[in-house]
């Protein structure tokens, strides 16, 4: 390789030594290069590469703009559009009410998908945790208030439904230190029934369909109250259990 005979360089052992030195030098260079930009290894002390940290930070920052959060943002943007359509031309034009119903239906459909996508594909973010319930309450609250303002729905129905939703949301935050109250089947059925009932009231229905929507709304109110009381019961049980577990842990620590 160097043009020097093997005998002049100490025979074959010298040649092997030269090649070994070259290999060692190459290995040292590759090790230095790997420690600068490669993955964490035992040789570099298990420390992640700086480039890896920057890339991970970029991915985490971009993850806010995932499909689940985009659907949530769409729901938030639909709220003022729904209100404008609902109140257009005095709020009683069937054509405008049909367009308002379409906006409401899109909002309800996206509500079904964004949470499922976030959990299934690990797209849960802090933004989604805050924005998703806000978007849910905003579109439902806007619809109920518009309907009551137009005289299509009694104000006490709007007060019961919105009071329950806001009260349970506050209750969840109050007991979150002891645990999370999971969504029940009754709660999911309540949400579905509310969506169908409000959607039927948004449409300018007459005849037997108007009678049917009355009973669907009645069922929604019953489910709203019943599931609200069940959430209160779960919150009380969760709080008592949490206090008992903390007291037991404190006694064990002192012992």
């Amino acid at each position: 390789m160097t043009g020097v005979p093997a005998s002049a360089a100490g025979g074959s052992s010298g040649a092997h030594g030269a090649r070994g030195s070259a290999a060692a030098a190459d290995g040292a260079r590759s090790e230095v290069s790997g420690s600068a930009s490669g993955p964490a290894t035992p040789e570099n002390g298990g420390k992640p590469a700086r480039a890896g940290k920057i890339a991970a930070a970029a991915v985490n920052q971009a993850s806010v703009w995932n499909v689940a959060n985009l659907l949530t943002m769409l729901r938030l943007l639909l709220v003022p559009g729904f209100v404008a359509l609902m109140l257009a031309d005095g709020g009683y034009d069937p054509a405008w009410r049909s367009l308002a119903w379409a906006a409401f239906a899109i909002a309800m459909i996206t509500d079904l998908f964004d949470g499922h996508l976030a959990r299934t594909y690990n797209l849960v973010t802090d933004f989604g945790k805050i924005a998703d319930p806000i978007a849910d309450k905003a579109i439902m609250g806007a619809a109920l208030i518009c309907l009551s303002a137009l005289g299509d729905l009694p104000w006490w129905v709007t007060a019961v439904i919105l009071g329950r939703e806001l009260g349970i949301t506050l209750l969840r935050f109050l007991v979150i230190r002891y645990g999370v109250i999971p969504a029940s089947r009754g709660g999911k059925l309540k949400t579905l029934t509310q969506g169908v009932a409000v959607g039927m009231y948004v449409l300018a229905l007459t005849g037997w369909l108007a009678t049917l929507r009355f009973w669907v709304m009645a069922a929604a109110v019953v489910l709203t109250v019943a599931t609200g009381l069940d959430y209160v019961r779960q919150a009380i049980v969760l709080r008592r259990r949490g206090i008992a577990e903390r007291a037991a842990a404190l006694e064990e620590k002192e012992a």
Side-chain angles (χ1 to χ4, degrees):
M1 292 177 65
T2 61
V4 181
S7 59
S12 61
S13 61
H16 285 298
R19 287 194 294 270
S21 299
D26 291 339
R29 285 193 297 270
S30 63
E31 182 177 349
V32 172
S33 175
S35 63
S37 60
T41 60
E43 286 77 4
N44 59 26
K47 297 180 180 179
R50 181 176 299 178
K53 289 182 178 180
I54 296 175
V59 170
N60 291 335
Q61 185 177 6
S63 64
V64 175
W65 299 96
N66 60 59
V67 63
N69 286 346
L70 290 176
L71 290 176
T72 300
M73 295 177 195
L74 174 62
R75 270 207 327 285
L76 288 170
L77 293 174
L78 282 172
V79 174
F82 166 80
V83 173
L85 292 170
M86 190 70 182
L87 301 179
D89 198 15
Y92 297 102
D93 185 271
W96 288 112
R97 292 284 285 261
S98 297
L99 293 175
W101 177 86
F104 181 80
I106 293 173
M108 291 294 100
I109 292 172
T110 57
D111 181 30
L112 296 176
F113 284 103
D114 60 355
H116 175 72
L117 290 173
R119 291 186 298 269
T120 303
Y121 297 101
N122 195 24
L123 301 176
V124 178
T125 62
D126 291 336
F127 171 82
K129 293 177 183 178
I130 297 173
D132 183 67
I134 292 176
D136 297 343
K137 305 300 184 292
I139 189 67
M140 182 60 69
L144 290 169
I145 292 173
C146 285
L147 288 171
S148 294
L150 293 172
D152 293 340
L153 191 67
W155 277 106
W156 69 265
V157 174
T158 296
V160 168
I161 294 177
L162 293 185
R164 184 268 189 199
E165 298 300 329
L166 296 177
I168 295 303
T169 300
L170 178 60
L171 185 63
R172 285 176 181 271
F173 281 112
L174 290 176
V175 300
I176 196 170
R177 69 181 67 179
Y178 305 109
V180 177
I181 303 177
S184 63
R185 292 183 178 179
K188 295 178 181 179
L189 179 60
K190 177 269 306 178
T191 301
L192 176 62
T193 308
Q194 280 184 1
V196 173
V198 172
M200 294 179 73
Y201 269 86
V202 169
L203 288 172
L205 300 179
T206 58
W208 68 272
L209 289 175
T211 304
L212 177 62
R213 72 181 181 182
F214 169 83
W215 290 108
V216 176
M217 180 60 76
V221 171
V222 171
L223 287 172
T224 296
V225 175
T227 55
L229 294 175
D230 183 61
Y231 275 121
V232 172
R233 179 192 63 79
Q234 291 186 58
I236 294 173
V237 172
L238 187 63
R239 182 176 181 274
R240 288 177 178 174
R241 184 185 305 162
I243 293 175
E245 290 176 354
R246 288 189 177 185
L250 184 59
E251 291 179 359
E252 183 179 353
K253 183 178 180 180
E254 291 177 351

